[in-house]
Amino acid sequence: MVLASPTAVCQCSHHTCSSEVIFFSKQRQGATAAAAGRFCARTGGSVRRQRISALPAVAKARADAAEGTVPDKAALAVDPEFYRHAQQPLPITRSDDGFIEKHNIEFVTTSKGIDLQELNDLFEKVGFPSRDLISLQIALDNTHLVHWARCTKTTRWAREGQLIGFARATSDRAFFGTIWDVAVLPSWQRSGIGKGLVERLVNAMLADGVPVVSLFAEPRVVGLYEKLGFMQDFKQLRCMAYQHPPGSRRRKTSSFAAS
């Protein structure tokens, strides 16, 4: 699992506190640290003085292990209220007008107008498993946000209205959200469409009050998400998915598709 936040260690001047301050993007960590300096990561309260050290969570865990200490579970916990102060929107690398001008591509922010069979075909072309159309409709109906890209006019590469890329996000609409099914037609990949979908989806989640955004990623696209500010093995947490009853033979294939 990949989560949108690098970390640094917060040391409050009038708290015995080694809790972690969460930042949205490594590129803007310094600026965010200054803004987050008014809050204690553990209490969420205001503090007068606070200093930030760039010791990542993994390094801190290794130091604890070397000393024979057990990491504090409270330090590993996610504090959603503090995230509200730390998260910042992703910069949009290419505007909507830029996509229309360069690629004749527009982004749509509703599931209305999506042809389910065309969406299923897209999934199959990028290696995702084919899905029952009734179940796929149920999934869309229960999705928090849907973003997809379509062609604005017929060209030699695509027809007007054709589905080019897709992404969606589920959430509890308060604390946590997860991005799923990021897919772009192979012939349109490396055009910035996937990146554009994720940027817009993350920002829409943050705007809707969902501060923690995670996703599942295939190894070949982890680098893309890291450039957008996501990080692997967040707070030493590991993704786990139920696949078999205890004691039964383990299945070799996953029950879900990664984006």
Side-chain angles (χ1 to χ4, degrees):
M1 182 171 69
V2 184
L3 199 77
S5 295
T7 62
V9 175
C10 153
Q11 296 176 322
C12 296
S13 59
H14 58 264
H15 290 293
T16 303
C17 177
S18 61
S19 54
E20 290 176 342
V21 179
I22 310 304
F23 304 108
F24 184 71
S25 172
K26 292 180 181 177
Q27 291 88 337
R28 296 185 301 280
Q29 180 168 322
T32 310
R38 297 189 301 273
F39 300 93
C40 168
R42 178 166 293 179
T43 66
S46 175
V47 297
R48 294 180 181 178
R49 298 183 304 276
Q50 193 172 32
R51 58 192 178 90
I52 306 297
S53 63
L55 177 65
V58 173
K60 182 177 183 298
R62 288 175 178 170
D64 290 340
E67 295 174 1
T69 60
V70 178
D72 182 4
K73 287 187 177 181
L76 295 178
V78 176
D79 183 349
E81 286 302 317
F82 185 75
Y83 269 74
R84 296 188 188 280
H85 303 292
Q87 298 287 37
Q88 293 185 6
L90 270 172
I92 301 298
T93 53
R94 183 178 297 166
S95 67
D96 291 354
D97 290 341
F99 272 103
I100 292 176
E101 181 179 349
K102 187 170 183 178
H103 297 297
N104 297 309
I105 293 294
E106 66 177 354
F107 293 103
V108 185
T109 58
T110 174
S111 61
K112 293 181 179 179
I114 293 180
D115 183 302
L116 294 181
Q117 186 58 60
E118 188 176 21
L119 179 58
N120 219 8
D121 292 342
L122 169 62
F123 289 157
E124 290 183 352
K125 289 177 180 177
V126 298
F128 292 175
S130 179
R131 305 174 192 186
D132 173 75
L133 296 186
I134 295 177
S135 297
L136 184 54
Q137 183 62 63
I138 293 173
L140 293 180
D141 291 341
N142 287 280
T143 291
H144 181 175
L145 293 170
V146 171
H147 280 49
W148 56 291
R150 66 184 177 191
C151 195
T152 59
K153 67 179 182 179
T154 300
T155 66
R156 58 187 296 185
W157 297 282
R159 70 177 189 281
E160 182 178 358
Q162 182 177 348
L163 175 66
I164 303 298
F166 177 87
R168 68 186 181 100
T170 56
S171 82
D172 56 17
R173 298 178 182 269
F175 300 128
F176 305 101
T178 304
I179 294 176
W180 303 93
D181 298 331
V182 180
V184 177
L185 284 175
S187 59
W188 286 84
Q189 292 176 7
R190 301 186 181 279
S191 299
I193 296 173
K195 183 178 181 180
L197 286 167
V198 173
E199 289 173 347
R200 287 159 175 78
L201 198 53
V202 168
N203 287 348
M205 292 284 280
L206 297 177
D208 275 3
V210 181
V212 183
V213 182
S214 61
L215 56 81
F216 295 89
E218 295 175 344
R220 62 184 178 83
V221 295
V222 165
L224 167 65
Y225 293 121
E226 286 181 330
K227 290 178 181 179
L228 291 173
F230 288 81
M231 67 176 298
Q232 301 184 64
D233 298 331
F234 174 72
K235 287 177 171 287
Q236 307 174 62
L237 300 177
R238 297 292 185 271
C239 167
M240 301 182 72
Y242 176 78
Q243 291 195 323
H244 62 90
S248 66
R249 186 174 181 179
R250 299 189 63 176
R251 296 171 57 185
K252 295 183 178 179
T253 57
S254 174
S255 59
F256 61 87
S259 60

